[in-house]
């Protein structure tokens, strides 16, 4: 009995993993295991011998069973320890500082613009980049034969052969979001709509994809004076200049009447552009009073509501503010350019800190 006990306890202690331990259990306590076989032999013994052997065998079986359970628990603990050691991470280590990414100037400038207009009560609106030609043109009072359709160098989406509905377009400006915002939110309304726009054009100041921000304010008595104040306020805050003369130059857009292009005072002395001083003028945006036909197309009564709108190029504003010469480089994904012109993740624009 002693020999049996020592042998099996040693086997349990030496089992290196749970599978080995299970093999030991079967060989000792399983139906055909050694202890079970010994139990079976009890029947052939004389009563006195059986009285001596049976309790000892039972005790041995119980002892082995608890030794197996204890060993199994120990093996599991060790396996868990091992795994925890392998998966250990030091969360206090610095996060790859030399490979930190940067915020793209377009993202940064978009944030700045949104911030300034948000402080004036404008909400952000969005629309699809693949737009139907009604929202992109017709609803904005640009009829099918209107020359503006050619001027916009529109990208047309393909239709299935035999489908002769007008094709969808990649929106050529953010102005269709005016229509969607009026349809969805009604009036009164104050929104800006930053986003991507597309035109088939490519040179130092044109890229087939670029960014615009649209502005729209609708109320019962919105005026051109309010438009001027809003744009002055915006451009001064954006460029960080207390004084910034603006010139509202009469112009034409199909969706506004009257329309004005807005120039800022600047100088080009020594080949560098300085805003806010000098005798030159630089065009920065288009604007005007929303055309009654545009209000009507979007479901508003032009007798009851009037509004102003404006649109400007975000990339262009970024170039002017941060002295970036070539628009095409914005979208080359050149890491050297991104490191040079990009902004730190923590340089979050805020009105209080100045832009
Ligand atoms: N959508 C015009 C463009 O892409 C810009 C524009 C001009 C927008 C005047 C306006 C506006 O809202 O009133 O050239």
């Amino acid at each position: 009995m002693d020999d049996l006990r020592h042998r099996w306890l040693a086997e349990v202690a030496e089992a290196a993993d749970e599978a080995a331990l299970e093999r030991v259990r079967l060989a000792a306590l399983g139906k055909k295991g050694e202890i079970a076989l010994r139990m079976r032999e009890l029947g052939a013994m004389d009563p006195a011998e059986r009285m001596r052997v049976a309790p000892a065998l039972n005790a041995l079986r119980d002892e082995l069973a608890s030794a197996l359970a204890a060993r199994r628990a120990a093996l599991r603990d060790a396996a868990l320890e091992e795994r925890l050691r392998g998966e250990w991470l030091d969360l206090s280590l610095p996060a790859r500082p030399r490979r930190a990414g940067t915020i793209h100037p377009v993202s940064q400038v978009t944030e700045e613009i949104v911030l300034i207009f948000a402080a004036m009560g404008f909400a952000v609106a969005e629309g699809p980049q693949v737009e139907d030609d009604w929202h992109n043109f017709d609803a904005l009072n640009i009829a099918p034969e209107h020359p503006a359709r050619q001027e916009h160098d529109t990208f047309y989406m393909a239709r299935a052969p035999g489908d002769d509905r007008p094709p969808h377009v990649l929106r050529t400006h953010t102005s269709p979001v005016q229509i969607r915002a009026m349809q969805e939110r009604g009036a009164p309304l104050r929104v800006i709509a930053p986003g991507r726009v597309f035109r088939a054009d490519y040179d130092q100041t044109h890229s087939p994809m670029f960014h615009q921000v649209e502005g729209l304010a609708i109320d019962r008595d919105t005026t051109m004076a309010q438009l001027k104040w809003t744009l002055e306020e915006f451009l001064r805050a954006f460029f960080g200049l207390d004084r910034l003369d603006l010139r509202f130059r009469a112009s034409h857009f199909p969706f506004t009447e009257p329309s004005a292009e807005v120039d800022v005072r600047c100088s080009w002395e020594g080949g560098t552009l300085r805003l806010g001083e000098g005798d030159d003028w630089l065009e920065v945006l288009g604007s005007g009073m929303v055309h009654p036909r545009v209000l009507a197309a979007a479901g508003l009564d032009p007798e009851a509501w009037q509004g102003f709108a404006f649109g400007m190029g975000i990339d262009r504003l970024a170039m002017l503010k941060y002295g970036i010469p070539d628009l095409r480089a914005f979208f080359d994904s050149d890491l050297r350019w991104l490191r040079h012109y990009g902004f730190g993740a923590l340089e979050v624009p805020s009105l209080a800190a100045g832009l």
Side-chain angles (χ1 to χ4, degrees), residues 19 44 69-70 116 130 138 146 175 178 197 212 236 268 308 334 345:
I116 298 169
V130 175
D138 301 68
H146 197 286
S175 302
Q178 286 188 32
V197 299
Q212 287 187 337
R236 283 187 192 144
W268 285 103
F308 65 72
D334 182 332

Side-chain angles (χ1 to χ4, degrees), residues 89-102 335 339 345:
L89 280 179
D90 184 352
L91 294 179
S92 69
L93 284 176
R96 293 191 288 177
R98 283 194 294 162
R99 295 221 244 140
T102 58
L335 282 176
R339 285 198 192 105

